[in-house]
Amino acid sequence: MKITQVRLGRLSVPLRVPFKTALRRVDQVNDIVVELHTDTGAVGYGEAPPTGPITGDTAGGIVGAIRELIAPVILNQEVDEFETLTAKVQKAGVHNTSAKAAVDMALWDLYGQLHNIPVHKLLGGARRTLVTDITISVNPPEEMAKDALDAIARGYDCLKVKVGDDPALDTARLAAVRKAVGNDVCIRIDANQAWTPRQAVRILNEMQDKGLALELVEQPVAAADLEGLAYVTRNSWVPVMADESVFSPADAMKIFQTRAADYVNIKLMKCGGITNALRIASAAQVYGVECMIGCMLEAKIAVNAAVELACARSIITRVDLDGPVLCSVDPIQGGARFDEKHITVSDDPGLGIHGIDPGYFFEKK
Ligand code: MG
């Protein structure tokens, strides 16, 4: 199986409601889709969202990186030379992790199809149903309480609440959400780098004092401030998860070795795809640090790749793959089945993606 063509397109899907965090507001998924065509007729699918505030990647940047850096090193190559091929993708220029993730997952898709086996089984996993949390966007407290109740009515029992755009209001926001949903619902929060280390410790301990019973806080401080992150981990009563601080496997190792966080959030778009996510998961297993698998605002192709990985690594104990359920429609044929909090992996070879509904997909010439 030889790669004969790299085709690019744009996938546009409106969100059910606007997605708001301390860093941004988004109304629509507008992702780049990669199709790797082969001489056997098999097609490998990949997807990458432009998430400028987190990865630095723009739609134009993803397209440029794939066309100018990555496509030249994979065209006319044999898919069976898989390890060499995935290594070439990672070495095709620095950064551009979203572009690399899209091509890397498309290669895993092809390799699975070549050997007629689903990616999660290639990785030693089993067919599983995962349970995801759902994101509650940052808004006035009453609105967040209402959104939380809506999520519970849809069957979710774990909420990921965005905070941090106005620290003075954060405790009130969480108190409103906790009061609305009661004590049986898991609440994790994500500050997306918004706090200083001292502010984080003060706010988090105040929240626990008020009985808000938070499961964990994601990325309380600036991504580059590992000392600050470690300070919060040592001094806060709420366990800390590193997200924006961990892109590469080397970043993850730094966190594991210094114990700067209690948990790590793995996202394909930060580390460059399944290949590097596996390295992070392996290192996490060595250090006994539990991981969450997360996503950006992604439709089902990219999230599906994360699902395949999560079914194969038990160190991934938490699932935050709500991209597809935040979308108003699912234009992707095949792949995992998303039924609110339940995600059931596909048993088809590769990633199991069969195509994209026309009307949501626009080919880039
Ligand atoms: Mg996060």
Side-chain angles (χ1 to χ4, degrees):
M1 185 187 279
K2 208 180 247 188
I3 297 167
T4 53
Q5 198 190 0
V6 178
R7 282 165 76 175
L8 296 173
R10 185 165 54 83
L11 179 71
S12 293
V13 187
L15 294 176
R16 293 165 71 121
V17 292
F19 181 88
K20 293 195 250 175
T21 77
L23 294 173
R24 61 196 180 123
R25 175 198 161 113
V26 186
D27 296 283
Q28 171 154 338
V29 166
N30 253 324
D31 293 359
I32 301 302
V33 169
V34 186
E35 289 180 5
L36 301 184
H37 291 253
T38 63
D39 58 358
T40 66
V43 179
Y45 286 93
E47 176 193 352
T51 317
I54 295 174
T55 60
D57 295 328
T58 60
I62 293 166
V63 169
I66 294 175
R67 280 201 178 136
E68 294 167 37
L69 300 173
I70 304 172
V73 301
I74 61 169
L75 270 171
N76 299 313
Q77 301 297 307
E78 289 289 343
V79 173
D80 222 13
E81 292 297 328
F82 188 68
E83 198 200 351
T84 311
L85 209 47
T86 52
K88 279 181 181 170
V89 171
Q90 297 305 322
K91 284 186 194 141
V94 297
H95 306 307
N96 290 298
T97 49
S98 304
K100 289 173 183 172
V103 175
D104 181 83
M105 72 180 70
L107 289 173
W108 279 92
D109 188 10
L110 287 177
Y111 192 62
Q113 292 180 55
L114 177 64
H115 295 288
N116 199 30
I117 185 170
V119 168
H120 63 275
K121 286 188 182 155
L122 259 180
L123 298 175
R127 187 151 194 228
R128 281 175 57 194
T129 294
L130 307 174
V131 177
T132 182
D133 63 13
I134 190 163
T135 302
I136 305 295
S137 283
V138 63
N139 275 308
E142 324 74 63
E143 194 175 337
M144 291 175 76
K146 187 183 159 294
D147 290 346
L149 280 176
D150 286 348
I152 303 306
R154 287 166 65 189
Y156 292 91
D157 45 25
C158 186
L159 306 175
K160 172 156 147 178
V161 181
K162 294 289 189 180
V163 294
D165 83 329
D166 176 2
L169 254 185
D170 284 332
T171 305
R173 287 188 171 112
L174 261 296
V177 171
R178 178 53 87 197
K179 191 169 170 226
V181 301
N183 287 332
D184 293 339
V185 170
C186 157
I187 297 180
R188 46 185 72 143
I189 64 174
D190 190 352
N192 289 107
Q193 315 179 51
W195 298 327
T196 66
R198 281 164 169 247
Q199 199 177 25
V201 170
R202 182 178 57 72
I203 294 172
L204 291 167
N205 288 348
E206 183 183 288
M207 286 176 175
Q208 290 309 70
D209 271 343
K210 290 202 155 66
L212 299 183
L214 305 179
E215 182 208 27
L216 59 87
V217 58
E218 247 183 80
Q219 200 63 44
V221 301
D225 186 7
L226 292 193
E227 262 177 55
L229 191 67
Y231 172 84
V232 181
T233 302
R234 281 196 309 273
N235 293 289
S236 145
W237 296 342
V238 181
V240 173
M241 173 177 281
D243 182 7
E244 289 97 315
S245 291
V246 175
F247 272 55
S248 66
D251 294 340
M253 282 297 287
K254 242 180 270 168
I255 299 277
F256 300 150
Q257 287 169 336
T258 59
R259 298 273 162 192
D262 300 292
Y263 308 113
V264 162
N265 188 343
I266 302 176
K267 290 179 182 162
L268 301 183
M269 296 305 142
K270 293 186 297 174
C271 67
I274 294 174
T275 301
N276 271 345
L278 284 167
R279 296 188 172 115
I280 296 177
S282 296
Q285 260 161 335
V286 172
Y287 284 88
V289 175
E290 290 179 24
C291 299
M292 178 150 90
I293 183 91
C295 62
M296 306 294 182
L297 281 172
E298 296 160 19
K300 208 171 71 180
I301 299 173
V303 173
N304 183 64
V307 170
E308 298 275 352
L309 172 71
C311 287
R313 287 298 177 275
S314 56
I315 197 75
I316 298 174
T317 52
R318 292 171 175 81
V319 177
D320 174 27
L321 296 177
D322 59 356
V325 294
L326 298 176
C327 291
S328 57
V329 284
D330 174 14
I332 310 299
Q333 298 148 11
R337 199 158 47 81
F338 287 77
D339 179 14
E340 296 293 5
K341 71 176 176 182
H342 296 295
I343 307 172
T344 308
V345 74
S346 160
D347 223 10
D348 290 345
L351 297 178
I353 302 291
H354 303 307
I356 303 166
D357 292 344
Y360 297 94
F361 179 76
F362 309 92
E363 183 161 2
K364 281 196 179 285
K365 296 292 175 198

